[in-house]
Amino acid sequence: MPVTHRLLAIAVAALWGVNFLAIHASLDQFPPLLLGALRFGLLAIPTVLFVPRPAVRLRWLLGYGLGFGTLQFVGLNLGMAAGFPPGLASLVLQASAPFTVVLGALLLHERIGRRRALGIMVAILGLAVVGVSRAQAAPVIPFLLVLFGALGWAFGNLASRLAAPDNPLHLTLWMSVVPPLPMLALSLVVEGPEAITTAIATSFQPDAAGAWLGLAYTIVLATVVGSGVWVWLMARHAAGTVAPFSMLVPVFGMTAAWLALGEVPTPVELLGGLLVVGGVLAGSRAGGVRAQTQGPAPVGVTG
């Protein structure tokens, strides 16, 4: 893998890591479910107009959109809105990797080798360490919501793998067509029309500029640019060569949160983070899950 391509992979990980700060900024203005509807709605419009629909079965496109787009960001946005730290969220979302392997074994009857199973157990141990640490310092519900988001990402991974698209980027973009309506419906029920109207009406005031900048970052840099470069790299190198660079996402995410927000993980959380990253990395070197690397991270990247 040339040095320039390695630098591109690192740059994508940085874009995805910083994206958690962008989501944090947007949540200061928009309710979490409305934010998800806006994010994907604004991306869906140009996608439908200018991007060819991928030649995949509709059920896998819907499954990818509901898992990766809807469930992941319902959990992530609600968890962060409830107070879960952005940097730590970038770490907990890495649970999507062991979730994907386990669901692949349960639903698709895929084989889990010894080394991959060991990696899964180490990653789960790390998540348990982080969860116990958070439970001692703050309510555990936000942690569980972000973990639910990682589970949604894993279901999306299985759907994207079964879709087997010729152009993964087109599938990623068309996935954005699925979440806006269910997320808007959830927003109307959970957050209410008044909260939605107030958020939109006040979003054009000067002090809401950061929320729109965060949303623009998420859509343009994290999703379109980040995913585009990632798919370009995946088309030129083996998945096992590119995938480990995604482990840099929580490194950049936690570093950015420390620099921008003064978010300092406890020693126990750092230990849990090392276990999660180490376990996921060990599992990916044992063969990995290609679908895990095809979509954007957490945005996010997922977050």
Side-chain angles (χ1 to χ4, degrees):
M1 190 175 186
V3 174
T4 54
H5 290 192
R6 294 178 185 271
L7 292 176
L8 283 174
I10 293 171
V12 172
L15 287 175
W16 289 343
V18 175
N19 187 45
F20 289 86
L21 289 184
I23 295 173
H24 176 76
S26 297
L27 286 171
D28 285 341
Q29 174 64 32
F30 300 109
L33 298 174
L34 175 62
L35 176 61
L38 284 173
R39 168 189 178 164
F40 289 108
L42 292 173
L43 183 58
I45 294 172
T47 294
V48 171
L49 293 176
F50 302 112
V51 178
R53 184 186 180 280
V56 301
R57 291 187 177 184
L58 180 61
R59 60 181 173 181
W60 303 134
L61 175 60
L62 292 175
Y64 188 30
L66 290 173
F68 181 87
T70 307
L71 296 181
Q72 178 183 188
F73 290 98
V74 164
L76 176 63
N77 288 3
L78 285 174
M80 289 181 60
F84 199 74
L88 211 53
S90 70
L91 169 67
V92 173
L93 269 190
Q94 296 302 315
S96 62
F99 280 155
T100 299
V101 175
V102 172
L103 290 175
L106 293 176
L107 302 179
L108 304 182
H109 308 292
E110 294 179 344
R111 178 178 173 275
I112 301 179
R114 290 183 180 179
R115 184 170 178 178
R116 186 177 296 170
L118 178 61
I120 291 172
M121 289 188 289
V122 171
I124 291 174
L125 175 61
L127 288 169
V129 169
V130 173
V132 170
S133 176
R134 293 302 300 175
Q136 293 175 345
V140 74
I141 295 300
F143 167 77
L144 295 177
L145 285 168
V146 177
L147 200 61
F148 172 79
L151 180 62
W153 184 359
F155 276 112
N157 283 338
L158 297 190
S160 69
R161 181 189 312 166
L162 292 170
D166 293 330
N167 190 322
L169 181 59
H170 286 184
L171 177 65
T172 297
L173 293 174
W174 267 86
M175 172 276 302
S176 67
V177 177
V178 179
L181 289 180
M183 294 192 86
L184 182 58
L186 283 173
S187 179
L188 285 168
V189 172
V190 176
E191 296 160 349
E194 184 177 352
I196 294 173
T197 302
T198 301
I200 296 295
T202 58
S203 68
F204 299 101
Q205 298 176 358
D207 57 357
W212 285 110
L213 288 173
L215 194 54
Y217 182 100
T218 296
I219 295 171
V220 177
L221 295 179
T223 303
V224 177
V225 175
S227 299
V229 173
W230 191 259
V231 169
W232 184 86
L233 290 169
M234 289 291 294
R236 286 158 176 78
H237 303 283
T241 301
V242 180
F245 284 93
S246 67
M247 293 300 97
L248 293 175
V249 172
V251 175
F252 283 111
M254 298 178 80
T255 301
W258 168 55
L259 294 173
L261 304 175
E263 179 187 315
V264 181
T266 66
V268 175
E269 289 170 349
L270 286 174
L271 173 61
L274 289 173
L275 290 172
V276 171
V277 172
V280 172
L281 188 57
S284 68
R285 287 185 174 178
V289 180
R290 182 176 175 84
Q292 168 71 13
T293 66
Q294 287 180 333
V299 245
V301 149
T302 100

